[in-house]
Amino acid sequence: MRACSRVNQSSDQRLSTGRFRMLESAFKKGGTFMSTSVSLEDWKTWISAKALSVGYFMQPNCSVCHALLPKVKELVKELDVEMKVVNLKGSEEVFGQYQIFTTPVVIISVEGKEVERHARFVQMEKLRYDIIRYQEIFEE
């Protein structure tokens, strides 16, 4: 019984290590998984300078984050909204200040203030609706 559990455990560890290496190489190459570390001051400056902005908060080892990121990037590009992708590693102060306890998190900010938050299971249609709703407010 113990031999089987050791075999399963080591194969799980190999899968985990392989996935981590894939993500690490994508970060180094600047691939689709590229995200940045920001200080709290830099983050507040960035969102304050924008009328409408989207922040995408993720972790390097979050598979859902990496699967959702291209969809969110495509949506914000289509709707012509600026987005910043923030990596937990190196941005712990931002995550703490904004009380982000799970990932992925998408925060919509208007003039530096958070107005909407989508976390964990992000529904793309709801996100689209919320962004368009705030865009329409600014058009009026």
Side-chain angles (χ1 to χ4, degrees):
M1 196 64 119
R2 287 188 175 192
C4 290
S5 65
R6 266 192 245 145
V7 169
N8 289 338
Q9 185 178 21
S10 64
S11 66
D12 287 344
Q13 287 172 342
R14 276 182 282 185
L15 285 173
S16 174
T17 304
R19 186 178 304 129
F20 177 76
R21 286 192 181 133
M22 178 199 69
L23 295 174
E24 186 178 48
S25 69
F27 276 113
K28 288 179 183 174
K29 292 176 185 173
T32 18
F33 303 120
M34 189 65 182
S35 62
T36 58
S37 302
V38 295
S39 69
L40 182 59
E41 184 178 318
D42 291 342
W43 172 253
K44 286 183 176 182
T45 302
W46 186 79
I47 62 169
S48 297
K50 313 286 182 232
L52 179 65
S53 60
V54 173
Y56 186 87
F57 297 85
M58 62 181 293
Q59 295 185 61
N61 60 346
C62 170
S63 60
V64 175
C65 299
H66 297 296
L68 185 64
L69 181 58
K71 295 175 187 175
V72 175
K73 279 185 174 182
E74 184 179 318
L75 176 65
V76 296
K77 185 178 179 182
E78 175 188 325
L79 297 176
D80 195 29
V81 177
E82 290 197 46
M83 180 176 86
K84 186 179 252 339
V85 179
V86 182
N87 185 359
L88 170 64
K89 190 173 181 179
S91 305
E92 292 85 359
E93 191 178 12
V94 177
F95 274 67
Q97 183 71 32
Y98 284 85
Q99 297 182 351
I100 297 172
F101 302 114
T102 186
T103 54
V105 174
V106 180
I107 294 179
I108 302 171
S109 299
V110 173
E111 296 176 344
K113 293 182 174 66
E114 178 181 335
V115 292
E116 293 289 337
R117 178 182 291 225
H118 298 260
R120 200 163 208 172
F121 303 109
V122 177
Q123 297 176 351
M124 293 304 295
E125 285 305 312
K126 172 80 168 100
L127 181 60
R128 174 187 294 278
Y129 171 80
D130 287 341
I131 293 172
I132 291 172
R133 183 175 65 167
Y134 287 104
Q135 283 179 324
E136 288 174 352
I137 290 171
F138 281 107
E139 288 175 4
E140 293 176 357

